[in-house]
Amino acid sequence: MARRQKRQRPPFGLPRGIVLLATPDGWRYSIQTVEGGMLCGSLTDELLDPEVALVAAATTVEELARQFHSTTVEVTWDPRQEPWAWTGRVVPVPGDVTAAS
Protein backbone atom coordinates (compact mmCIF):
# COMPACT_ATOMS: atom_id res chain seq x y z
CA MET A 1 0.00 0.00 0.00
CA ALA A 2 1.45 3.34 -1.04
CA ARG A 3 1.38 6.17 1.43
CA ARG A 4 0.10 9.54 0.40
CA GLN A 5 2.60 12.31 0.69
CA LYS A 6 1.54 15.03 3.05
CA ARG A 7 1.55 18.44 1.50
CA GLN A 8 4.33 20.24 3.28
CA ARG A 9 3.36 23.44 5.01
CA PRO A 10 5.33 26.55 4.01
CA PRO A 11 8.05 27.49 6.52
CA PHE A 12 6.26 30.80 7.25
CA GLY A 13 2.87 32.41 6.84
CA LEU A 14 1.60 34.63 4.07
CA PRO A 15 3.13 38.12 4.29
CA ARG A 16 0.81 40.93 5.42
CA GLY A 17 3.18 43.82 6.11
CA ILE A 18 6.78 44.99 5.78
CA VAL A 19 9.07 47.45 7.53
CA LEU A 20 12.19 48.71 5.75
CA LEU A 21 14.89 50.46 7.80
CA ALA A 22 18.07 52.26 6.81
CA THR A 23 20.91 51.27 9.16
CA PRO A 24 24.63 52.05 9.15
CA ASP A 25 25.18 48.51 7.86
CA GLY A 26 22.63 48.82 5.01
CA TRP A 27 18.93 48.21 4.48
CA ARG A 28 17.14 45.83 6.87
CA TYR A 29 13.58 44.53 6.48
CA SER A 30 11.07 42.76 8.67
CA ILE A 31 8.11 40.99 7.07
CA GLN A 32 5.07 40.34 9.26
CA THR A 33 2.94 37.30 8.45
CA VAL A 34 -0.79 36.73 8.75
CA GLU A 35 -0.17 34.22 11.58
CA GLY A 36 1.82 36.77 13.59
CA GLY A 37 5.31 35.55 12.68
CA MET A 38 8.16 37.67 11.42
CA LEU A 39 10.92 37.20 8.84
CA CYS A 40 13.93 39.48 8.97
CA GLY A 41 16.70 40.05 6.48
CA SER A 42 18.79 42.57 4.63
CA LEU A 43 19.18 43.87 1.12
CA THR A 44 22.46 43.82 -0.77
CA ASP A 45 25.01 46.46 0.14
CA GLU A 46 24.97 47.96 -3.35
CA LEU A 47 21.51 49.46 -2.79
CA LEU A 48 22.01 52.97 -1.49
CA ASP A 49 19.14 54.83 -3.14
CA PRO A 50 15.97 54.63 -1.01
CA GLU A 51 13.72 54.29 -4.08
CA VAL A 52 15.75 51.32 -5.34
CA ALA A 53 15.65 49.76 -1.85
CA LEU A 54 11.83 50.11 -1.76
CA VAL A 55 11.51 48.30 -5.09
CA ALA A 56 13.96 45.57 -4.01
CA ALA A 57 12.13 44.99 -0.71
CA ALA A 58 8.74 44.81 -2.46
CA THR A 59 10.16 42.36 -4.99
CA THR A 60 11.49 40.18 -2.17
CA VAL A 61 8.03 39.98 -0.55
CA GLU A 62 6.31 39.28 -3.87
CA GLU A 63 8.75 36.47 -4.72
CA LEU A 64 8.38 34.87 -1.27
CA ALA A 65 4.57 34.87 -1.55
CA ARG A 66 4.70 33.43 -5.06
CA GLN A 67 7.31 30.78 -4.27
CA PHE A 68 5.99 29.51 -0.93
CA HIS A 69 2.24 30.27 -1.14
CA SER A 70 1.53 30.32 -4.89
CA THR A 71 -0.08 33.71 -4.38
CA THR A 72 0.50 36.98 -6.18
CA VAL A 73 0.73 39.96 -3.84
CA GLU A 74 1.63 43.61 -4.12
CA VAL A 75 3.20 45.99 -1.61
CA THR A 76 1.69 49.41 -1.00
CA TRP A 77 4.06 51.71 0.86
CA ASP A 78 2.58 54.03 3.50
CA PRO A 79 3.57 57.71 3.58
CA ARG A 80 6.94 58.00 5.25
CA GLN A 81 6.90 59.06 8.93
CA GLU A 82 10.68 59.06 9.40
CA PRO A 83 13.41 59.69 6.79
CA TRP A 84 15.02 56.30 7.50
CA ALA A 85 11.97 54.02 7.86
CA TRP A 86 9.15 52.84 5.62
CA THR A 87 6.17 50.60 6.31
CA GLY A 88 4.10 48.83 3.73
CA ARG A 89 0.97 46.72 3.44
CA VAL A 90 1.00 43.44 1.53
CA VAL A 91 -2.28 42.57 -0.18
CA PRO A 92 -3.22 39.74 -2.52
CA VAL A 93 -3.76 40.81 -6.12
CA PRO A 94 -7.50 40.69 -6.95
CA GLY A 95 -8.37 38.06 -9.53
CA ASP A 96 -5.16 36.13 -8.88
CA VAL A 97 -5.47 32.85 -10.77
CA THR A 98 -2.26 31.46 -9.25
CA ALA A 99 -3.83 31.04 -5.80
CA ALA A 100 -6.81 29.13 -7.20
CA SER A 101 -4.70 26.45 -8.87
Side-chain angles (χ1 to χ4, degrees):
M1 175 190 276
R3 286 189 166 176
R4 279 201 278 172
Q5 278 188 331
K6 273 189 166 181
R7 183 175 162 186
Q8 203 169 30
R9 188 173 180 192
F12 54 86
L14 187 65
R16 74 175 178 118
I18 183 170
V19 176
L20 180 65
L21 300 171
T23 69
D25 297 328
W27 296 101
R28 305 279 309 163
Y29 62 81
S30 296
I31 301 170
Q32 298 95 16
T33 66
V34 172
E35 291 85 7
M38 186 168 295
L39 300 161
C40 298
S42 62
L43 301 176
T44 61
D45 294 337
E46 295 86 40
L47 299 174
L48 298 176
D49 183 346
E51 295 302 317
V52 175
L54 288 170
V55 171
T59 301
T60 299
V61 172
E62 292 162 1
E63 288 175 356
L64 287 171
R66 185 173 31 257
Q67 180 180 2
F68 290 100
H69 296 281
S70 300
T71 302
T72 304
V73 298
E74 62 183 25
V75 176
T76 304
W77 294 103
D78 298 331
R80 195 167 58 175
Q81 301 296 320
E82 300 287 338
W84 44 267
W86 290 264
T87 57
R89 284 182 240 126
V90 180
V91 294
V93 173
D96 177 25
V97 295
T98 314
S101 43

